[in-house]
């Protein structure tokens, strides 16, 4: 009876140790999977941020190019406007000394 009890007890202890070992192995696997997932997520986030920065740089470059182009066109227009002859106005403020249209003021 004592031997039977001892055998039964050692069998239970072995089963318990096996369950504990399986539990620990399962936990280790879960930890590894979680770490892999976390690394993947961080890599995706870093890639996303990198793409956003690149897009922002492109947008800023386009804006700068557009601004430069606009300034160049404005300077050309300004230069042309200075060189363009102005209509001759006589003392009355009308071109060729006469009104170009009828002006009626309603009161």
């Amino acid at each position: 009876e004592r031997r039977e009890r001892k055998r039964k007890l050692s069998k239970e202890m072995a089963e318990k140790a096996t369950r504990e070992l399986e539990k620990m192995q399962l936990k280790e696997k879960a930890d590894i999977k979680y770490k892999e997932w976390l690394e993947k997520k961080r890599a995706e986030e870093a890639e996303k941020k990198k793409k956003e920065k690149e897009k922002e740089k492109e947008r800023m470059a386009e804006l700068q190019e557009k601004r430069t182009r606009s300034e160049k066109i404005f300077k050309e227009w300004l230069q042309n406007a200075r060189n363009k002859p102005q209509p001759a106005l006589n003392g009355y403020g009308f071109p060729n000394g006469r009104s170009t249209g009828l002006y009626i003021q309603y009161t």
Side-chain angles (χ1 to χ4, degrees):
E1 194 179 303
R2 205 182 309 158
R3 276 190 224 147
E4 185 65 31
R5 230 184 299 150
K6 245 184 180 179
R7 192 176 56 78
K8 199 174 183 182
L9 187 62
S10 68
K11 187 178 177 184
E12 285 177 7
M13 294 290 275
E15 286 176 359
K16 190 174 181 182
T18 306
R19 281 195 303 265
E20 287 293 319
L21 185 62
E22 286 175 356
K23 228 182 195 181
M24 285 175 53
Q25 288 174 343
L26 197 62
K27 188 176 183 318
E28 284 176 18
K29 282 183 183 178
D31 286 345
I32 290 170
K33 288 280 187 185
Y34 174 73
K35 285 177 183 176
E36 288 173 357
W37 174 84
L38 192 60
E39 275 183 42
K40 185 179 174 184
K41 276 294 181 190
R42 286 180 178 162
E44 286 174 1
E45 280 293 315
E47 187 66 29
K48 187 177 176 183
K49 283 182 181 182
K50 185 179 175 183
K51 283 183 180 180
E52 285 177 5
K53 278 187 178 183
E54 287 175 8
K55 279 186 180 180
E56 184 65 20
K57 277 185 181 180
E58 286 177 16
R59 192 177 70 81
M60 294 301 286
E62 286 176 10
L63 280 174
Q64 184 62 37
E65 186 180 328
K66 188 175 179 182
R67 188 175 292 125
T68 304
R69 211 175 325 122
S70 296
E71 286 176 6
K72 181 183 174 191
I73 291 170
F74 174 73
K75 286 177 183 177
E76 287 175 4
W77 173 84
L78 192 60
Q79 190 66 33
N80 290 338
R82 286 183 186 151
N83 296 338
K84 198 181 233 184
Q86 295 293 321
L89 301 175
N90 67 3
Y92 298 106
F94 296 114
N96 300 326
R98 58 195 150 117
S99 173
T100 55
L102 184 60
Y103 175 75
I104 299 175
Q105 183 179 7
Y106 295 101
T107 53

